[in-house]
Every structure is written in C-alpha cells, then in structure tokens.
Amino acid sequence: MNFLAAYFLLLAAGALSGQRADFGRMVLGSGLAALSALILFAPEQPYPVQLAYKLGTALFITAAVFGCRSKRRLLTAACWYGALNIALAGIVMLAILRTGTTLLQTGNLAVYLRVSPLLLVVLSGGCCAAVELGMRLLDRRKAPAQSVGLELDLCESTIHLRAALDTGCHLTDPITCLPVLVVSFPDARNRLPPEIQAYLAAWFAGSPPGEPPPGARLRLIPCTGAADRSLLPGFAVGNIGLITEHGVLGLGRSAVAFAPRSFGSESYEALYGNDFL
C-alpha cells in the first residue's frame, strides 16, 4: 500500500513542479519510497538524523523519478513530494483523532497508520486528483513570448531555430525518454536540408515517404492533444545547443519532432517544455 500511495504522491509532485516521468521511473521511485518507510522499525535516532534521513530520501526518490538535469526543478519536486507526504499523514491523523481510535504508530519521523489499505490508497489517489484538478482549473497559460536560439545538426547540416517555452509541452523520445523539441514544419521548412523537406512533405501529404534520408534516424514521437492522439515524425540528433552571448551551450543528446501546422508566430519556429533546458 505504501507503494501505491507513493505512486500517487509522485504523480502529484510532478504535476506541481511541471515534470512528467515515464512509467518505469514512477515504479522505481514508488518502490524506493516504500523501502524508505522501513526506518519506522529501526531504533529511535536523534532528531537531526531523522530529519536528514527524510530530506535525503525525498531528494533521492525524486531524483530517481524526474532526473537531475535541473537542480532547481529537482529541489522543487522534492519539496512538493515532502509536503504532500506531510499533508497526507496529517489528513489521516486528523481523521483518526476525530474518531478517537488508536491506530497510529510513529518512529523516526515515519508514520504507520493501522487503517484499511483501501482507505490509504483512496486518500492518496484523492490527493493526486485534487492536485490535477487544481492545476487544470487554475491553468492560465499565456502564449509563449520570449524565444531562445537553438542549434542542431541534421543530415550533416547545422540548423538554427528560435524556440519558445510552452509549459504544456511534455513530449519525450520513446527510445531515450529525453524531452523532445517540437518544430513546426511549415514555419521551419526553409531552414531544413532539402532531403528532410522532401521527406516530411511526403509524410504530411499522406504519401509513402520511403526510407529516411541518409544520416537521419527516424523517430515516431507519441503526441496527445486536446482532442486526439497521433504520432509525429522526428529525427534523433546528436546534440542540441543553446545559443548564448558566450557561445553555444550543449544540452545533450535528444530528438526533434515535426508538427504539420504553423504555430502562428513570426518569433519562433519551435516549442520546448520545462524539462528541455
């Protein structure tokens, strides 16, 4: 039951920190969280040791789930995960105190509640659902405004694009599980190598595009929109670089996916999510 409760809480922490993890990482993090609760049965430790253990395990679990690419976002997820754990324990403890039962056991800042496992899972799921509902109701996303310059190599050609942040962009490469840059094919068409232009034009026209151009590794990127699901064509790239005033900052190995429609702006041709930079 601790495993399922941790799974829901990690989902909520990811939503609040603007991150998403694949199913395998979520399972790993939930298992680590369930194991960390075993300190309840250890001899009582000094309070500083207990606090260090709780903070360290929260940081380790969220790092296993969401990665360490951004220390600031990792710390945000860890803080939300810890806060949700405390909130859930408080809700259940309040319910126990209101009913006058003695079903609570604590030790080393871990809480064991001798309640129905189904109740614990329902409360954990309710916590996750409340966060998800709140995020949807309070979502007031504005159209991306400020853009950044990106550089990538595709078919032995260096391509420069302008990209804007879209907090709703959570596409990942199914092979590497890394976040994906989404490029509008109509907006960026003239910046692409001719062989890539021809391949994507045939793809979006519904004609058999044949084999990818030499040197291009095709990726099919799952995309879930407001009304439908689809597969976007894309290509693996060795490195995507962020163009700064001090030079090009490498962001590592990733992929680009191409959308068939224009983004409707002259300021950028690509979108990236919070996980990308």
Side-chain angles (χ1 to χ4, degrees), residues 58-93:
L59 191 62
F60 181 73
I61 291 167
T62 49
V65 175
F66 302 112
C68 306
R69 296 187 66 184
S70 170
K71 293 181 175 60
R72 179 179 62 84
R73 302 194 65 224
L74 171 60
L75 183 61
T76 301
C79 289
W80 276 119
Y81 176 68
L84 290 170
N85 269 282
I86 294 172
L88 177 61
I91 291 172
V92 180
M93 289 173 64

Side-chain angles (χ1 to χ4, degrees), residues 223-237:
C223 176
T224 301
D228 57 2
R229 295 183 178 182
S230 61
L231 289 175
L232 297 181
F235 301 97
V237 293

Side-chain angles (χ1 to χ4, degrees), residues 45 50 53 70 80 92 106 121 146 158 163 215 243:
Q45 300 296 314
Q50 298 178 27
Y53 178 82
S70 170
W80 276 119
V92 180
T106 63
V121 173
Q146 186 176 2
T158 300
I243 302 174

Side-chain angles (χ1 to χ4, degrees), residues 18-19 69 73 163-171 179-182 270-277:
Q19 304 180 82
R69 296 187 66 184
R73 302 194 65 224
L165 172 66
D166 182 359
T167 56
C169 181
H170 299 293
L171 299 188
V180 169
L181 181 71
V182 184
L271 296 174
Y272 65 91
N274 286 326
D275 296 336
F276 190 80
L277 296 181

Side-chain angles (χ1 to χ4, degrees), residues 1-10 26-27 29-41 61 81 85 88 110-118 120-121 124:
M1 292 304 102
N2 282 340
F3 177 89
L4 293 176
Y7 188 91
F8 285 124
L9 294 180
L10 286 169
M26 290 294 296
V27 170
S30 301
L32 293 173
L35 289 174
S36 71
L38 295 178
I39 195 174
L40 174 70
F41 305 105
I61 291 167
Y81 176 68
N85 269 282
L88 177 61
V111 178
Y112 175 68
L113 304 165
R114 294 191 295 272
V115 297
S116 165
L118 180 60
L120 182 60
V121 173
S124 303

Side-chain angles (χ1 to χ4, degrees), residues 71-191:
K71 293 181 175 60
R72 179 179 62 84
R73 302 194 65 224
L74 171 60
L75 183 61
T76 301
C79 289
W80 276 119
Y81 176 68
L84 290 170
N85 269 282
I86 294 172
L88 177 61
I91 291 172
V92 180
M93 289 173 64
L94 178 61
I96 291 173
L97 292 174
R98 297 280 289 184
T99 58
T101 59
T102 57
L103 301 175
L104 178 65
Q105 179 183 349
T106 63
N108 294 317
L109 292 183
V111 178
Y112 175 68
L113 304 165
R114 294 191 295 272
V115 297
S116 165
L118 180 60
L119 173 62
L120 182 60
V121 173
V122 168
L123 288 173
S124 303
C127 178
C128 177
V131 169
E132 187 69 25
L133 180 61
M135 296 292 290
R136 291 180 181 273
L137 292 178
L138 298 177
D139 186 15
R140 295 292 184 270
R141 272 190 297 155
K142 297 180 179 179
Q146 186 176 2
S147 61
V148 298
L150 296 178
E151 177 182 288
L152 58 96
D153 292 328
L154 189 59
C155 288
E156 299 183 353
S157 298
T158 300
I159 302 169
H160 295 93
L161 298 171
R162 296 164 299 174
L165 172 66
D166 182 359
T167 56
C169 181
H170 299 293
L171 299 188
T172 56
D173 181 355
I175 303 298
T176 64
C177 296
L178 293 175
V180 169
L181 181 71
V182 184
V183 181
S184 165
F185 176 60
D187 295 340
R189 180 168 186 161
N190 294 334
R191 298 176 180 234

